[in-house]
Amino acid sequence: MNITRLQFEGYRNLKDNFILPDDGINIIYGDNAQGKTNLLEALWLFCGSRSFRGAKDNELIGFERDYMKLSLNFKSAQREQTAEITICEGKKLVTLNGIEKSSASQLSGSICSVIFSPDHLALVKNGPAERRKFIDNAISQIKPRYSDTLNKYNQTLNQRNALLKEIPYKKELYDTLYIWDEHLAKLGGAITEQRLKYFNLICEKADKYHNGLSSDNDKLEMKYAFSYDCEDNLSSEEISRAFLSALKKNREEDLQNKSTSCGIHRDDLDIFINGSRARAYASQGQQRSVVLSLKLAEAEIIKDYVGEEPIILLDDVLSELDLNRQKYIMNNIHGRQVFITCCDVSSVGKLAKGKVFNVKNGVVKKQIKQ
């Protein structure tokens, strides 16, 4: 997969223009608040997702402009393709190869991308919910049915929790709890099995990238942490039985707390650097390296499933990384198209091959690398 041209009109603060990216590394540099991240956001929108910054559609339209239009030329499935996104008067029009789509989500699969932004450091810094969200979103990209199972689990969990709140007032409902326990355990077993398969894949691939980033000085270790007594080498059915046993064991505690104390909604992914928990002891640069390794591993897994390399979008990834890690990012991600934003112009000198774009006051200009 390769982007050959991106054109933007009335988009954010960017002046109407287009870029012709390199098929390898593309550096986008400039001071803060000039529009660098806007370029990455424009590319991300073509992956069928909402803005990774949480922006609403009307916020994508530039100041004193009444519409915005993004046009993309790309190579995928061994042919040249085009896509357009237009927002005008509160309406969004999306086309792929001239055919109108009902929503941007229908572009998903035609254009694949993996993005790193500073907000993704929460994967290491924050609590278990961020790590569960990461693995669930990653699996959903390659297995859409996974999202359906996850939604069913969450619905069942909400129903069980509602019943836990109601039982103290309606004792006769107690005997119906086992029905929800069995349903929840079955769904939880299926989800956990998929999580463990993906987790084993991404651990293996992330370790390779992390060794390169740290020059083999830091050892990355990860472990799937169950919220109940279970092994990580069991089948879906065996996991379901272990989960059901835990639900029965914790039933009185759950009734007292009016919530379900164990399950896939409580599991975690433990991350260690050199034997210490990364969340508590890793430096800013080490935490950034962990997340970047996971993102590059995610891209490799997508390629294994869809048969094409996804586009890599790295927003402000170089800050707080030492010189060797910066050089690794810019010169060792081979066979993929990568877009990297940075503020420090000196970072451009570390690029062996690729294109450089400067963004100043919304004006994007290609630079000749010296």
Side-chain angles (χ1 to χ4, degrees), residues 9-16 38 57-69 87:
E9 303 173 38
Y11 173 68
R12 293 280 199 179
N13 78 318
L14 297 181
K15 308 302 180 185
D16 294 359
N38 291 341
D57 286 348
N58 64 335
E59 295 172 339
L60 303 177
I61 300 175
F63 183 64
E64 295 186 340
R65 301 293 293 267
D66 54 10
Y67 79 100
M68 84 87 184
K69 181 178 181 179
I87 299 175

Side-chain angles (χ1 to χ4, degrees), residues 261-272:
S261 58
C262 65
I264 63 121
H265 61 290
R266 300 276 188 175
D267 293 350
D268 195 2
L269 311 178
D270 285 337
I271 302 174
F272 301 89

Side-chain angles (χ1 to χ4, degrees), residues 86-108:
T86 303
I87 299 175
C88 183
E89 297 181 347
K91 297 180 180 180
K92 180 187 283 187
L93 175 65
V94 179
T95 64
L96 178 62
N97 300 320
I99 300 174
E100 186 174 342
K101 300 294 181 180
S102 60
S103 67
S105 63
Q106 290 195 327
L107 295 175
S108 180

Side-chain angles (χ1 to χ4, degrees), residues 193 196 226 229-239 242:
E193 182 182 47
L196 289 172
F226 288 94
D229 188 16
C230 190
E231 301 294 330
D232 59 7
N233 59 349
L234 303 179
S235 67
S236 173
E237 292 76 13
E238 290 171 324
I239 295 169

Side-chain angles (χ1 to χ4, degrees), residues 35-316:
K36 305 184 302 295
T37 301
N38 291 341
L39 275 176
L40 296 196
E41 180 186 49
L43 294 170
W44 178 252
L45 292 172
F46 283 100
C47 299
S49 303
R50 296 183 63 84
S51 165
F52 61 85
R53 301 146 97 183
K56 298 177 181 178
D57 286 348
N58 64 335
E59 295 172 339
L60 303 177
I61 300 175
F63 183 64
E64 295 186 340
R65 301 293 293 267
D66 54 10
Y67 79 100
M68 84 87 184
K69 181 178 181 179
L70 299 173
S71 303
L72 194 74
N73 293 49
F74 63 101
K75 294 179 182 177
S76 180
Q78 299 182 332
R79 65 190 180 102
E80 297 278 354
Q81 302 193 59
T82 60
E84 290 186 350
I85 299 174
T86 303
I87 299 175
C88 183
E89 297 181 347
K91 297 180 180 180
K92 180 187 283 187
L93 175 65
V94 179
T95 64
L96 178 62
N97 300 320
I99 300 174
E100 186 174 342
K101 300 294 181 180
S102 60
S103 67
S105 63
Q106 290 195 327
L107 295 175
S108 180
S110 298
I111 307 168
C112 295
S113 180
V114 169
I115 189 162
F116 168 93
S117 77
D119 287 344
H120 290 129
L121 292 174
L123 177 59
V124 176
K125 292 181 176 181
N126 290 4
E130 291 290 343
R131 291 179 283 281
R132 291 194 298 267
K133 179 181 176 182
F134 166 73
I135 196 168
D136 288 336
N137 288 345
I139 297 171
S140 295
Q141 281 200 78
I142 57 176
K143 295 186 176 182
R145 290 184 179 179
Y146 179 84
S147 293
D148 295 335
T149 308
L150 191 62
N151 289 335
K152 289 177 183 176
Y153 178 92
N154 289 327
Q155 291 168 5
T156 305
L157 177 66
N158 290 335
Q159 290 169 320
R160 185 181 192 269
N161 287 340
L163 185 60
L164 291 171
K165 294 180 176 70
E166 199 171 359
I167 286 174
Y169 307 100
K170 296 181 180 179
K171 302 293 185 182
E172 66 274 14
L173 294 177
Y174 184 89
D175 290 338
T176 67
L177 197 56
Y178 81 93
I179 298 174
W180 298 108
D181 287 358
E182 290 183 343
H183 193 29
L184 197 67
K186 183 177 181 180
L187 292 167
I191 290 168
T192 304
E193 182 182 47
Q194 291 300 315
R195 277 187 180 179
L196 289 172
K197 287 180 180 179
Y198 189 90
F199 183 71
N200 290 333
L201 272 178
I202 205 167
C203 283
E204 177 184 347
K205 295 179 184 296
D207 185 62
K208 172 183 64 177
Y209 289 111
H210 194 266
N211 287 341
L213 279 165
S214 68
S215 301
D216 291 322
N217 291 321
D218 290 336
K219 177 62 177 174
L220 170 65
E221 295 177 280
M222 295 189 290
K223 182 180 180 181
Y224 191 92
F226 288 94
S227 54
Y228 56 96
D229 188 16
C230 190
E231 301 294 330
D232 59 7
N233 59 349
L234 303 179
S235 67
S236 173
E237 292 76 13
E238 290 171 324
I239 295 169
S240 293
R241 285 196 291 271
F243 184 16
L244 182 59
S245 176
L247 288 171
K248 291 178 180 178
K249 180 181 178 181
N250 298 345
R251 184 171 290 177
E252 294 307 316
E253 178 186 345
D254 289 355
L255 282 166
Q256 183 177 356
N257 295 326
K258 299 179 175 60
S259 65
T260 305
S261 58
C262 65
I264 63 121
H265 61 290
R266 300 276 188 175
D267 293 350
D268 195 2
L269 311 178
D270 285 337
I271 302 174
F272 301 89
I273 297 294
N274 299 327
S276 298
R277 198 174 295 275
R279 181 183 180 187
Y281 298 104
S283 68
Q284 294 291 326
Q286 287 175 321
Q287 291 181 353
R288 211 167 266 259
S289 297
V290 169
V291 178
L292 181 59
S293 298
L294 289 169
K295 289 290 182 177
L296 293 175
E298 179 187 355
E300 191 171 322
I301 293 171
I302 290 175
K303 195 266 180 182
D304 291 343
Y305 274 83
V306 305
E308 290 189 314
E309 294 283 2
I311 307 302
I312 309 294
L313 308 175
L314 305 176
D315 186 29
D316 191 27

